[in-house]
Amino acid sequence: MKLKKQVTVCGAAIFCVAVFSLYLMLDRVQPDPARSPGAASFPRSQISVLQNRIEQLEQLLEENHEIISHIKDSVLELTANAEAQAQGGPREGRSGAPGLALPLRLPNGSWLLPPEGRPTFLALAPQDCRFALRSSTDTSSTASSSSRPRAQQQQQQQQAALQMMAVSASLPFDNQDGGVWKQGFDISYEPHEWDEGGLRVFVVPHSHNDPGWIKTFDKYYFDQTQHILNSMVTKLQEDPRRRFIWSEVSFFSKWWDNISAQKRAAVRRLVGNGQLEMATGGWVMPDEANSHYFAMIDQLIEGHQWLEKNIGVMPRSGWAVDPFGHSATMPYILRRANLTSMLIQRVHYAIKKHFAATKNLEFMWRQSWDPDSSTDILCHMMPFYSYDVPHTCGPDPKICCQFDFKRLPGGRINCPWKVPPKAITSANVAERAQLLLDQYRKKSKLYRSKVLLVPLGDDFRYDKPQEWDAQFLNYQRLFDFFNAHPDLHVQAQFGTLSDYFDALYKETGIVPGMQPPGFPVVSGDFFSYADREDHYWTGYYTSRPFYKSMGRVLEAHLRGAEILYSLAVSHARHAGMDSKYPLSDYALLTDARRNLGLFQHHDAITGTAKEAVVVDYGVRLLHSLMNVKRVIINAAHYLVLADKETYHYGLAEPFLGADETRLNQDSLPEKTVIKLEAAPRFVVVFNSLEQERLSVVSLLVNTPRVRVLNEEGQPLAVQLSAQWNSATDMAPDIFQVSVILRLPALGLTVLQLIKSYDSHNTFKSSMRLFLNGRDLPVRKYEAFPVKVIPAAPDDFCLENQHMRACFSGPSGALKSVAQPGGEEEWRLTSQFLIYGTRSTKDKSGAYLFLPDGEAKPYVPKDPPLIRVSEGPFFSEVAVYYQHVQELVRLYNVPGVDGLSLEISCLVDIRDHVNKELALRFSTDIESQGTFFTDLNGFQIQPRQYLKKLPLQANFYPMPVMAYIQDMQTRLTLHTAQALGVSSLNNGQLEVILDRRLMQDDNRGLGQGLKDNKRTCNRFRLLLERHSQANKVLDGQPVSFPSLLSHMSSMQLNTEVLAMPLAPEKPSPPALRSFVPLTATLPCDFHLLNLRSLQGEDDSLPSTEMALILHRKGFDCGLEARNLGFNCTTTQGMVALGGLFQGLEVASLQPYSLTLMYPLAPSPLNSTVVHLDPMEIATFRLRLG
């Protein structure tokens, strides 16, 4: 009775809080009468303001209605539970913790979990919802960039951006023959066009060095790269007019470590006097399709920090000549790193032609969500087929090839057009100069200014001194001739990329970073890429998915290790224990950053390197994964010790074991089995997310007799499940123990496992195995009752408090989802499909997707085996086909995990020939050809299925999610690895899981894809309803996930790590959970990194760290669901002052993204920071 009273009081209190918050919100949207003296006459602008306010009010009422209904449900649940306990429910009081509520099996077979002691809520400030609602024309409601004068903002907004989606929709893609410029058109000019202002030509020598492709990184370095860089130092010093640009810091730093102090000084001089430019300055030139924004930023920081420390240089211009298509995330990252200009090359030939015809090849690239122009960066698009010499001097490759002096007769390469270059002499210089000038003038006609950029280089060029001489001496003779003849109206010279952009800015009379007059503004991205005909580079979105997945796993581990290491070192310093702490773990972090950075290279994560090179990347990834696990273990060891004085670091015997192991670079992970003996075993659980997390944590143990206690020694309810070696073979001595834990943000939780039978708190999963008519022996054990059914099942369902998922009996495939007890059921079917490749000469390969028509259903040899297991915390369906095992799991957890379906596909197509396996979801959603994919996990890009293009052209990269929607519903597919995705029909989403191709696709690799691995692809499927107050703005250039969707994605990509204490410790020291934050961060904030910065000694950290925060843009227009933790938004304000438990913020200084430039500190309080939606901000932080 007493408990019932408490519950009622608690429910009433929550209700009052909700009503009071509604009152406050209403008060906030009331117009201020004092400000409207002429209240009688309403100008039009005020009416629209009033209309906006009414709409906001409608939305608020609806949100509050939802909050109150959540509260009502919670109160009813609490009351029901209280009554069950008061009546001496079936399980009361038999455990060591009297009154500990336990799961309850309902008559319909589903489970009811007891509500937690404390309520949780989702409270979104209405101001934080306006960002996503703002249409592309109205920017009045954004508080963004308040420092910039409003008039200036409006003036910059007047020019509507060219939306790339609209450009693609308008183009015919007819691939007409353009003459000498095959994919373009004839260019003509009047001879006197340059009489007023002459042409200024900058020839930019470069060498494109792939950190791994046909050879490994190290082999390229020893065979070619070191010679290029050595010759560079010598040859640039021979003539001060010579220039060169370099971009891959990974190679440059390896070379730097091997050269003399004298040579280093020469390099610094060459950089200082402008002869050598470091362009972009990243560790690599990253792929922009599959890479995640954490890794893109991390490799840029690694490169920039190296350059600043060793050469003292800050890159100004971006150079990306080889990534296979370009993402809108890259210009944002470069702009926030304070670069002002960038160059791109691999863009669909039809888009290049259109941009050339409209003189839009140079444009301000703006983010589609940017309310003003703060994200603008000047972008130069190269107009022709390639970045090699035949395709860079002008439209006619036959002529340009004659000015690639590496191809002089007698060399190893020649011109495919059969006209060789001629060395420049006083006898032929006039004729050769005229021929080249004609190309320069024609190319110049495609741009708006009289400044011309002409790259001069190719892959691994300038590796021999003879080539330096051939190019530089012959070009200098041509330049001398141009410059000595004013009647030609041309000035030509060697230049760097920034020399070119500086001259362009000077000619247009503007400050670098501003918009040159008349230059267009472009928003959107440049996927998907085709270099000729219908050869779309959409295969590499999936190629070698095993390594795409492994890279993502390393990324999550590295981020967790960075944060935990920074916190552990700060606490150790604070306690004066830093001499005992393994600070040298910093070298392991540096190595992991560099290996993860190397893997972002556009031939690594893409899956487009030779097999031996792929193995090299895999070995590096695995090596770093093991090392960062060690960093996490060492940090966790220090942080969970109750008495830090007892801390002792032993390299040979780690305090904690790893959560899982991988035998080789191409093995799937195997979870550690915790062996329980007489003594209790402790497990430390790490949640590396910045939000609290209510999750099912599963451990493997060697006995079904197990009790799990929390830190206070109270027993936890446990779901005990069998472990299976195959569909019909139960493992005899491995068992899965699952508990529900509330894990603190960035924190460590301690569990204790004891070998003893606890019938009161242990719930065994019930299992049914359907053999589908196949006569197979089943190996099972008494510990688990398994019902073996020879036939196929009827259709069946799994259910939790949020959803019911139903499956087709014979195939085990997903069929529909519904809300429990609700009338409405949504069709949601899944199906595996097979794509073949063409029978013609051109076939699919590592880069290209060239299917032989639409996909055909996957038909396995035998009907599938289906295993259904159900328990209080999760239920799952495992379906075993010949080439894929599909596991669909429904968590019975209040909060994020329980609101979506978890799907994993273990794929093995090693016996296929020229086949690609796809998974398609079909619904009744009226998506009408529109779908949405993410760019690098940073933003969402709307897509339109274009019938006029071939099937393969409609595939796009999906690093973390894709969704379809209509006015009622949104279906999001979340992914834990980058894969190719499309929506080829109304209401469909499909993803390519793996590709096995027997031939090269003629893009230089010289191999097919035959090294497939057993690969596990992990997904979450989330169905959300649009709330009535919100209209879906289709056709808008901008869309956002909901907060629930963001959280689902983060939890899928950031798994909880459970690390057992090493068994050798007979009497372990007292352990205590580590809760690093005093308050929760707003739930639209993501702690991207807390990265310790390098000290004077390369292998040790300084006292400063980089705090990188991202404020996510989100859509409030989907029904708010309780996330399982207290979630609030704060209009982008975060107080960092007292955020870290036990540590003060000694200093906090905002910096550019890669820490190169200090920014003006925040005027308010020095430790309160403000971010606009979507923005990423970096701070130098010192904790005292």
Side-chain angles (χ1 to χ4, degrees):
M1 194 63 209
K2 193 175 174 190
L3 184 62
K4 188 171 173 183
K5 219 177 244 176
Q6 285 174 344
V7 166
T8 313
V9 170
C10 171
I14 299 167
F15 186 81
C16 294
V17 168
V19 173
F20 183 61
S21 64
L22 175 61
Y23 167 75
L24 286 178
M25 288 173 182
L26 288 173
D27 190 44
R28 200 170 266 168
V29 296
Q30 290 287 323
D32 186 352
R35 285 189 190 166
S36 49
S41 59
F42 270 79
R44 184 160 297 208
S45 63
Q46 274 182 298
I47 289 174
S48 71
V49 167
L50 196 62
Q51 210 168 348
N52 280 345
R53 296 234 164 119
I54 288 167
E55 280 174 14
Q56 286 167 25
L57 196 56
E58 278 176 5
Q59 192 183 327
L60 282 171
L61 286 166
E62 180 145 337
E63 282 170 11
N64 274 274
H65 176 70
E66 271 181 30
I67 290 171
I68 286 166
S69 71
H70 281 311
I71 291 168
K72 195 170 94 182
D73 292 348
S74 301
V75 170
L76 287 172
E77 218 172 274
L78 279 160
T79 313
N81 243 65
E83 281 171 358
Q85 285 185 18
Q87 289 161 15
R91 292 180 170 275
E92 194 208 6
R94 278 186 295 157
S95 84
L100 188 74
L102 292 167
L104 194 65
R105 187 122 200 209
L106 301 176
N108 68 356
S110 67
W111 289 85
L112 176 71
L113 291 191
E116 284 200 299
R118 60 186 190 134
T120 58
F121 57 83
L122 173 65
L124 306 183
Q127 296 91 320
D128 292 329
C129 290
R130 288 183 206 160
F131 177 75
L133 288 173
R134 173 184 52 76
S135 73
S136 43
T137 52
D138 168 39
T139 55
S140 57
S141 64
T142 55
S144 175
S145 304
S146 45
S147 57
R148 205 176 287 100
R150 173 63 62 196
Q152 185 190 338
Q153 284 186 40
Q154 282 166 348
Q155 175 203 336
Q156 284 163 339
Q157 284 156 15
Q158 277 161 10
Q159 183 166 15
L162 280 173
Q163 289 295 340
M164 284 315 302
M165 201 161 96
V167 170
S168 293
S170 70
L171 294 182
F173 292 95
D174 51 1
N175 194 20
Q176 290 180 357
D177 190 329
V180 292
W181 175 19
K182 254 191 106 46
Q183 296 170 330
F185 44 83
D186 277 333
I187 306 170
S188 58
Y189 60 86
E190 298 298 324
H192 300 293
E193 282 189 44
W194 286 273
D195 288 3
E196 289 304 304
L199 187 61
R200 280 203 72 191
V201 180
F202 288 90
V203 172
V204 179
H206 70 97
S207 180
H208 179 65
N209 282 238
D210 289 304
W213 181 38
I214 305 301
K215 303 177 187 177
T216 63
F217 173 76
D218 287 335
K219 186 99 172 77
Y220 270 138
Y221 173 78
F222 289 115
D223 289 358
Q224 284 147 292
T225 306
Q226 63 170 335
H227 306 304
I228 297 168
L229 292 168
N230 285 330
S231 298
M232 172 195 78
V233 180
T234 312
K235 293 295 175 184
L236 289 184
Q237 290 184 101
E238 286 178 7
D239 186 339
R241 294 172 298 180
R242 293 180 178 179
R243 300 284 184 274
F244 195 65
I245 66 168
W246 188 266
S247 75
E248 299 80 10
V249 176
S250 49
F251 275 129
F252 205 86
S253 72
K254 187 176 176 70
W255 173 67
W256 189 262
D257 291 343
N258 289 297
I259 60 173
S260 65
Q262 192 183 358
K263 203 176 256 189
R264 289 180 179 183
V267 171
R268 292 193 186 103
R269 276 197 305 279
L270 291 169
V271 169
N273 68 18
Q275 282 185 264
L276 171 62
E277 179 180 17
M278 305 303 290
T280 312
W283 201 246
V284 296
M285 185 186 291
D287 169 47
E288 300 182 20
N290 303 291
S291 51
H292 188 267
Y293 77 116
F294 171 92
M296 291 169 83
I297 292 171
D298 204 62
Q299 64 84 31
L300 194 65
I301 292 176
E302 194 58 31
H304 282 189
Q305 290 294 294
W306 188 92
L307 287 171
E308 187 178 41
K309 188 168 195 286
N310 292 285
I311 306 180
V313 64
M314 300 177 180
R316 296 168 50 207
S317 306
W319 172 261
V321 289
D322 204 24
F324 324 138
H326 293 279
S327 163
T329 306
M330 203 63 197
Y332 175 77
I333 289 172
L334 295 180
R335 189 70 198 92
R336 290 292 173 258
N338 216 26
L339 278 71
T340 49
S341 336
M342 63 183 295
L343 172 146
I344 60 176
Q345 150 58 22
R346 288 195 188 267
V347 172
H348 193 298
Y349 60 87
I351 287 172
K352 285 191 170 210
K353 178 180 174 177
H354 172 72
F355 272 49
T358 51
K359 287 200 174 187
N360 285 343
L361 288 165
E362 288 182 320
F363 52 86
M364 301 306 286
W365 198 345
R366 179 177 299 171
Q367 298 303 307
S368 52
W369 44 263
D370 183 3
D372 48 59
S373 58
S374 76
T375 59
D376 285 14
I377 184 169
L378 177 65
C379 181
H380 172 103
M381 185 191 293
M382 292 169 62
F384 307 125
Y385 173 76
S386 167
Y387 55 83
D388 62 6
V389 184
H391 295 95
T392 46
C393 88
D396 189 344
K398 182 177 174 180
I399 292 171
C400 291
C401 194
Q402 298 170 47
F403 293 90
D404 181 357
F405 296 104
K406 179 174 178 152
R407 302 179 197 243
L408 282 166
R412 283 175 49 209
I413 56 166
N414 51 29
C415 284
W417 296 271
K418 304 285 189 280
V419 185
K422 295 175 186 167
I424 306 300
T425 64
S426 53
N428 69 9
V429 65
E431 174 262 326
R432 302 311 284 169
Q434 277 295 350
L435 189 62
L436 184 59
L437 180 57
D438 176 59
Q439 290 299 304
Y440 286 171
R441 284 175 170 172
K442 284 175 175 167
K443 182 176 181 179
S444 156
K445 288 290 289 176
L446 306 177
Y447 293 88
R448 291 173 188 256
S449 82
K450 290 180 176 175
V451 186
L452 183 66
L453 172 66
V454 180
L456 181 70
D458 200 346
D459 292 3
F460 295 95
R461 280 302 189 88
Y462 302 98
D463 62 341
K464 295 193 169 53
Q466 297 86 316
E467 185 186 353
W468 285 88
D469 293 340
Q471 304 284 29
F472 280 91
L473 294 172
N474 282 298
Y475 268 97
Q476 193 60 56
R477 287 172 198 137
L478 288 162
F479 298 163
D480 291 345
F481 181 84
F482 287 142
N483 301 342
H485 289 77
D487 53 315
L488 294 176
H489 301 289
V490 60
Q491 283 281 313
Q493 66 185 81
F494 292 117
T496 62
L497 189 56
S498 293
D499 287 341
Y500 165 74
F501 282 120
D502 286 345
L504 175 65
Y505 286 126
K506 193 174 174 189
E507 192 206 284
T508 52
I510 56 150
V511 181
M514 299 306 287
Q515 182 177 346
F519 278 42
V521 175
V522 172
S523 283
D525 68 341
F526 296 98
F527 291 119
S528 286
Y529 168 60
D531 58 350
R532 57 179 185 256
E533 295 148 29
D534 60 354
H535 292 192
Y536 282 84
W537 296 44
T538 51
Y540 82 93
Y541 302 156
T542 292
S543 296
R544 294 183 166 123
F546 179 89
Y547 294 99
K548 285 175 164 66
S549 169
M550 193 176 182
R552 187 71 62 84
V553 170
L554 173 58
E555 186 178 308
H557 275 76
L558 174 60
R559 179 183 162 275
E562 296 271 20
I563 293 169
L564 213 56
Y565 175 82
S566 294
L567 291 171
V569 170
S570 298
H571 279 282
R573 281 182 173 141
H574 185 61
M577 294 280 291
D578 45 334
S579 58
K580 284 189 174 181
Y581 191 85
L583 294 177
S584 56
D585 276 2
Y586 187 79
L588 301 181
L589 287 176
T590 300
D591 191 50
R593 293 165 181 172
R594 292 177 176 184
N595 281 334
L596 179 67
L598 192 71
F599 188 66
Q600 304 315 304
H601 161 54
H602 56 263
D603 286 305
I605 193 172
T606 52
T608 56
K610 287 262 195 210
E611 289 177 12
V613 179
V614 172
V615 171
D616 183 59
Y617 290 133
V619 168
R620 289 168 182 273
L621 291 175
L622 179 62
H623 172 74
S624 287
L625 184 58
M626 295 300 120
N627 280 343
V628 294
K629 280 183 187 291
R630 208 172 100 197
V631 175
I632 290 170
I633 285 167
N634 291 342
H637 175 192
Y638 179 79
L639 292 168
V640 295
L641 281 181
D643 179 7
K644 303 283 189 259
E645 294 298 322
T646 62
Y647 175 75
H648 169 71
Y649 166 67
L651 176 64
E653 40 185 67
F655 185 70
L656 299 168
D659 58 316
E660 60 182 30
T661 52
R662 292 179 187 240
L663 287 175
N664 299 305
Q665 56 86 24
D666 58 357
S667 315
L668 287 167
E670 291 181 18
K671 281 188 86 163
T672 302
V673 180
I674 301 169
K675 295 191 166 40
L676 296 182
E677 303 300 338
R681 289 289 301 272
F682 290 88
V683 176
V684 175
V685 182
F686 176 36
N687 165 30
S688 62
L689 288 180
E690 65 286 322
Q691 298 295 346
E692 190 179 77
R693 186 165 172 172
L694 187 64
S695 283
V696 171
V697 174
S698 296
L699 308 166
L700 295 184
V701 292
N702 63 339
T703 169
R705 301 166 54 79
V706 61
R707 294 181 77 195
V708 182
L709 311 181
N710 65 12
E711 198 182 346
E712 286 76 44
Q714 292 176 319
L716 300 175
V718 162
Q719 177 172 331
L720 192 65
S721 313
Q723 193 70 2
W724 293 79
N725 296 326
S726 74
T728 55
D729 180 15
M730 189 188 283
D733 46 9
I734 304 178
F735 306 88
Q736 189 182 54
V737 179
S738 304
V739 292
I740 293 185
L741 294 178
R742 182 172 285 284
L743 302 167
L746 306 177
L748 298 161
T749 303
V750 180
L751 292 178
Q752 193 179 153
L753 274 62
I754 296 172
K755 185 175 179 178
S756 88
Y757 191 58
D758 183 354
S759 61
H760 176 63
N761 290 300
T762 303
F763 300 82
K764 286 183 180 176
S765 299
S766 65
M767 270 173 290
R768 289 171 292 160
L769 177 61
F770 299 94
L771 299 180
N772 229 333
R774 291 165 68 180
D775 184 17
L776 294 167
V778 177
R779 196 159 79 156
K780 51 184 186 160
Y781 298 92
E782 276 164 26
F784 281 97
V786 179
K787 214 166 164 188
V788 179
I789 300 151
D794 297 328
D795 290 0
F796 58 93
C797 301
L798 302 180
E799 192 169 322
N800 70 11
Q801 62 203 54
H802 303 294
M803 95 169 87
R804 187 173 73 246
C806 296
F807 300 80
S808 148
S811 71
L814 187 60
K815 208 174 159 186
S816 66
V817 295
Q819 287 180 327
E823 297 297 303
E824 205 173 355
E825 187 169 37
W826 290 279
R827 180 172 79 93
L828 174 51
T829 63
S830 70
Q831 182 188 18
F832 290 103
L833 306 162
I834 295 281
Y835 281 99
T837 190
R838 295 180 178 177
S839 52
T840 56
K841 176 171 69 70
D842 297 310
K843 291 180 165 64
S844 297
Y847 302 92
L848 306 183
F849 179 33
L850 296 171
D852 59 354
E854 293 186 6
K856 297 169 182 63
Y858 164 69
V859 184
K861 203 170 65 204
D862 300 301
L865 299 171
I866 300 167
R867 192 177 62 242
V868 182
S869 65
E870 296 177 86
F873 301 156
F874 64 86
S875 300
E876 63 188 19
V877 179
V879 185
Y880 290 79
Y881 299 101
Q882 187 183 349
H883 298 97
V884 58
Q885 296 171 28
E886 185 183 35
L887 186 73
V888 180
R889 180 178 281 195
L890 181 62
Y891 286 102
N892 189 21
V893 182
V896 177
D897 283 354
L899 293 165
S900 57
L901 276 176
E902 189 171 277
I903 298 175
S904 62
C905 299
L906 184 59
V907 174
D908 186 354
I909 57 169
R910 287 176 292 185
D911 62 351
H912 276 342
V913 173
N914 275 331
K915 297 280 190 283
E916 312 198 18
L917 182 69
L919 173 59
R920 177 182 291 166
F921 297 97
S922 303
T923 69
D924 293 325
I925 291 171
E926 289 293 330
S927 55
Q928 297 172 346
T930 299
F931 58 112
F932 303 81
T933 67
D934 74 289
L935 292 173
N936 316 101
F938 173 64
Q939 58 186 326
I940 297 295
Q941 178 63 48
R943 308 288 183 194
Q944 189 67 42
Y945 172 76
L946 295 176
K947 274 198 185 69
K948 64 187 171 187
L949 293 181
L951 179 148
Q952 66 270 21
N954 286 291
F955 273 81
Y956 292 94
M958 173 181 64
V960 304
M961 70 174 82
Y963 53 85
I964 51 172
Q965 63 182 13
D966 58 18
M967 297 300 277
Q968 278 73 46
T969 315
R970 175 184 288 183
L971 175 74
T972 307
L973 177 66
H974 291 282
T975 177
Q977 58 287 308
L979 296 167
V981 74
S982 188
S983 173
L984 299 174
N985 286 294
N986 198 26
Q988 286 184 356
L989 263 183
E990 76 175 68
V991 54
I992 308 282
L993 300 175
D994 201 1
R995 340 176 49 226
R996 184 168 175 83
L997 301 159
M998 313 316 283
Q999 63 284 312
D1000 181 42
D1001 49 10
N1002 300 309
R1003 292 305 182 277
L1005 178 60
Q1007 281 184 347
L1009 290 176
K1010 303 183 202 173
D1011 55 350
N1012 302 69
K1013 316 292 177 208
R1014 286 177 74 236
T1015 300
C1016 187
N1017 292 310
R1018 296 172 43 245
F1019 308 100
R1020 273 198 183 168
L1021 210 48
L1022 174 65
L1023 193 69
E1024 298 176 282
R1025 301 189 55 167
H1026 288 283
S1027 56
Q1028 300 310 304
N1030 282 284
K1031 326 283 181 287
V1032 178
L1033 302 170
D1034 258 355
Q1036 289 294 329
V1038 62
S1039 182
F1040 300 94
S1042 65
L1043 267 178
L1044 169 60
S1045 189
H1046 278 306
M1047 296 294 175
S1048 302
S1049 178
M1050 305 251 277
Q1051 295 202 4
L1052 176 64
N1053 277 284
T1054 316
E1055 292 192 284
V1056 168
L1057 299 187
M1059 301 164 285
L1061 229 71
E1064 300 77 58
K1065 311 260 178 282
S1067 53
L1071 305 179
R1072 197 167 54 214
S1073 291
F1074 171 63
V1075 182
L1077 303 182
T1078 55
T1080 55
L1081 280 171
C1083 48
D1084 54 347
F1085 270 73
H1086 173 47
L1087 175 63
L1088 195 59
N1089 211 342
L1090 186 62
R1091 186 185 209 262
S1092 288
L1093 298 176
Q1094 199 176 63
E1096 287 308 305
D1097 176 341
D1098 286 4
S1099 61
L1100 295 174
S1102 74
T1103 55
E1104 288 189 313
M1105 51 197 93
L1107 168 72
I1108 310 178
L1109 294 173
H1110 175 204
R1111 183 179 173 199
K1112 300 201 166 208
F1114 62 94
D1115 187 343
C1116 297
L1118 294 128
E1119 282 186 352
R1121 314 281 283 278
N1122 195 331
L1123 300 174
F1125 55 82
N1126 296 344
C1127 166
T1128 55
T1129 63
T1130 55
Q1131 289 104 75
M1133 306 296 274
V1134 181
L1136 297 174
L1139 184 64
F1140 297 98
Q1141 186 95 45
L1143 296 168
E1144 288 301 310
V1145 172
S1147 69
L1148 181 76
Q1149 168 70 39
Y1151 265 75
S1152 61
L1153 186 58
T1154 57
L1155 299 137
M1156 296 289 244
Y1157 300 87
L1159 307 175
S1162 135
L1164 302 159
N1165 173 342
S1166 59
T1167 59
V1168 174
V1169 302
H1170 172 257
L1171 263 70
D1172 287 326
M1174 292 301 294
E1175 293 287 3
I1176 301 174
T1178 299
F1179 303 86
R1180 264 184 196 269
L1181 170 71
R1182 206 170 73 250
L1183 294 173

